[in-house]
């Protein structure tokens, strides 16, 4: 029980006197020793238009390959290796460093095509991917020739532009996705923990040309979700969160490894609603792709407009993410939103989102806490890492009647992934004295 302390008149904003929570700017990035000031917007080079005719030319090649090989490009069938050889040849000619990563599945050899654009800081790698295999029932031009051709032409656009990104760009064409993301799992599982931590984003493009199209954005990572929503908002195209594909494509192994993922999807066998048709056009009551996993998934099974827009969105993502300046050491991530702490009540939490970093948090993560309270002995304070791990910063100490907590704690957070939503959890464990969290910050 807290002895009633002499309560000095509290000079607080009138709103707080009413128990309101005054939301102020949260999650401000501050360079070391810098006053709070709007960061200069990074100069983002303008991405080029990706010619949809070029994307369709790649699809025509994949169609020809399937036609010449029993109508498919499936794992273990000649049409798949012919697709691999086509993609690799285009990349080699454009100056990429390419590797064919082979593996065995169901008694047959599969291959991933991994292509690196020389240059950029490999400690900050941005990766895009699509699966190159089809089902055995058909040529797989939308699923997922469209994604394969879209990232291929975006890669060729990088080459044509001679882009010199700050970050390293890597492209992956996955084998054996249709049997359960076999190729992409092989790739991710083959990465060391250090190499995984260098991939700061993986963007997946599996079906981006559906004939009755929708515009779905993966919502797994807030920053990558916003990236694409901003792009389509600029086009005046509405988007929806992608909800049917969780765990169903090559982003899953990356997400399971703790790598931030994003991507785009134009729809498969789900039915387009009338509300969706009113914003996107097309036919309600019909699947986004009626030829999903069927022999009719041919070159004719493509909507050029969605393919064009999504291919351009891939280039936008590569240019935007690829030319960002990595956050300098000593970057501060702060939440300045005031948060009332219920007297002798439940714990409250204040979030800070860390993104754009690679790897794990430091062994001496600085946690700055500013709490206004009339009896700090009431307070228990924890840091909660993105994966839910909890680090005790302060225990309650009943007879510590001093006001306020204005302290920087040092936490060994080296086992925690840096990116994600960190939280400060505060609880007032004794009645009478009250207070609020004024601000808190993480310094990496
Ligand atoms: N493209 C399908 C997997 C799939 C079905 N729905 C979604 C949504 C988002 C990404 C992928 C998918 C396949 O390869 O079978
Ligand atoms: Zn697919
Ligand atoms: Zn499929």
């Amino acid at each position: 029980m807290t002895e009633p302390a002499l309560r000095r008149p509290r000079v607080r904003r009138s709103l707080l006197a009413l128990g309101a929570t005054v939301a102020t700017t949260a999650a401000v990035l501050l360079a070391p020793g810098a006053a709070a000031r709007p960061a200069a917007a990074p100069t983002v080079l303008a991405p080029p238009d990706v010619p949809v005719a070029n994307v369709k030319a790649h699809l025509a090649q994949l169609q020809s390959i399937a036609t010449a090989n029993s109508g498919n490009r499936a794992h273990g069938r000649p049409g798949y290796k012919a697709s691999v050889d086509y993609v690799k040849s285009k990349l080699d000619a454009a100056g990429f460093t390419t590797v064919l990563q082979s593996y065995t599945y169901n008694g047959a050899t599969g291959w991933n095509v991994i292509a690196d654009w020389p240059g950029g800081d490999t400690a900050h790698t941005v990766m895009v991917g699509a699966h190159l295999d089809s089902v055995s029932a058909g040529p797989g031009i939308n699923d997922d020739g469209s994604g394969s051709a879209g990232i291929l032409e975006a890669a060729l656009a990088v080459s044509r532009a001679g882009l010199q990104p700050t970050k390293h760009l890597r492209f992956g064409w996955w084998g054996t996705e249709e049997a359960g993301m076999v190729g992409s799992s092989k790739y991710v599982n083959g990465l060391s923990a250090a190499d995984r931590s260098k991939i700061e984003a993986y963007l997946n493009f599996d079906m981006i040309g559906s004939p009755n199209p929708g515009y779905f954005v993966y919502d797994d990572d807030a920053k990558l979700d916003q990236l694409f929503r901003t792009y389509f908002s600029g086009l005046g195209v509405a988007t929806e969160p992608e909800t049917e594909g969780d765990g169903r494509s090559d982003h899953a192994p990356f997400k399971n490894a703790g790598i931030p993922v994003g991507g785009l999807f134009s729809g498969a066998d789900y039915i387009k609603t009338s509300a969706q048709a009113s914003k996107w056009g097309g036919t309600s009551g019909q699947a986004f792709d009626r030829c999903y996993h069927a022999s009719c998934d041919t070159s004719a099974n493509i909507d050029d407009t969605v393919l064009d827009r999504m291919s351009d969105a891939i280039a936008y993502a590569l240019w935007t993410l690829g030319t960002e300046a990595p956050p300098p050491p000593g970057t501060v991530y702060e939440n300045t939103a005031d948060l009332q702490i219920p007297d002798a009540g439940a714990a409250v939490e204040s979030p800070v989102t860390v993104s754009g970093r690679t790897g794990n948090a430091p062994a001496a993560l600085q946690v700055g806490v500013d709490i206004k309270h009339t009896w700090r002995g009431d307070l228990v304070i924890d840091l909660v890492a993105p994966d839910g791990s909890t680090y005790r910063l302060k225990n309650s100490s009943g007879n510590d009647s001093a006001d306020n907590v204005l302290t920087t704690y040092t936490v060994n957070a080296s086992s925690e992934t840096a990116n994600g939503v960190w939280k400060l959890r505060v609880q007032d464990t004794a009645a009478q004295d009250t207070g609020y969290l004024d601000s808190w910050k993480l310094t990496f």
Side-chain angles (χ1 to χ4, degrees), residues 47-52 55 150 153-154 208 228 231-232 235 264 305-319:
D49 172 72
V50 174
V52 69
V55 181
E153 191 56 28
I208 63 170
F228 286 118
Y231 178 77
F232 283 103
L235 291 182
L264 297 173
T305 301
V306 68
L307 182 67
D308 187 12
R309 290 169 170 171
M310 292 205 168
S311 299
D312 289 338
I314 296 169
Y316 172 82
L318 286 167
W319 260 254

Side-chain angles (χ1 to χ4, degrees), residues 131 143 177-178 206-207 218 242 244-245 248 265 292-293:
H131 71 86
D143 181 21
E177 183 274 349
E178 297 289 9
D206 186 352
M207 302 176 77
Y218 292 23
E242 196 296 299
E244 68 166 279
R248 292 179 63 180
F265 176 59
Y292 174 60
H293 284 185

Side-chain angles (χ1 to χ4, degrees), residues 39 57 73 127 191 213 230 237 243-244 289 310 362 364 414 419 426 444:
R73 300 179 302 102
M127 189 167 192
L191 294 173
T230 298
V237 174
T243 55
E244 68 166 279
D289 181 354
M310 292 205 168
S414 57
N419 289 332
V426 187
F444 279 71

Side-chain angles (χ1 to χ4, degrees), residues 16-209:
L16 281 186
L18 302 175
T21 298
V22 175
T24 53
T25 309
V28 173
L29 276 178
L30 300 176
R37 62 178 182 276
T43 50
V44 173
L45 302 173
D49 172 72
V50 174
V52 69
N54 293 6
V55 181
K56 294 199 66 165
H58 299 313
L59 292 180
Q61 288 293 328
L62 296 179
Q63 177 64 65
S64 298
I65 288 169
T67 303
N69 291 282
S70 311
N72 70 74
R73 300 179 302 102
H75 168 79
R77 315 290 280 274
Y80 180 68
K81 183 57 166 58
S83 303
V84 165
D85 293 342
Y86 171 74
V87 168
K88 185 178 187 303
S89 68
K90 303 297 278 186
L91 293 162
D92 288 341
F96 284 82
T97 305
T98 61
V99 170
L100 297 190
Q101 179 184 42
S102 68
Y103 54 88
T104 301
Y105 175 78
N106 251 4
T109 302
W111 295 267
N112 295 321
V113 182
I114 308 299
D116 285 275
W117 179 241
D121 180 358
T122 55
H124 297 272
T125 295
V126 174
M127 189 167 192
V128 301
H131 71 86
L132 190 55
D133 65 313
S134 75
V135 291
S136 54
I141 298 306
N142 186 35
D143 181 21
D144 180 31
S146 61
S148 294
I151 68 170
L152 174 59
E153 191 56 28
L156 300 181
V158 166
S159 174
R160 286 192 293 268
L163 185 66
Q164 294 183 335
T166 52
K167 299 179 182 175
H168 185 70
L169 303 182
R170 180 170 298 151
F171 301 74
W173 287 264
W174 309 116
T176 328
E177 183 274 349
E178 297 289 9
M181 294 84 77
V182 174
S184 53
S185 297
K186 159 84 178 175
Y187 174 78
V188 173
N189 295 340
L191 294 173
S192 65
D195 284 341
R196 288 186 198 181
S197 68
K198 293 174 182 174
I199 301 176
E200 68 180 38
Y202 170 74
L203 304 178
N204 195 58
F205 303 96
D206 186 352
M207 302 176 77
I208 63 170

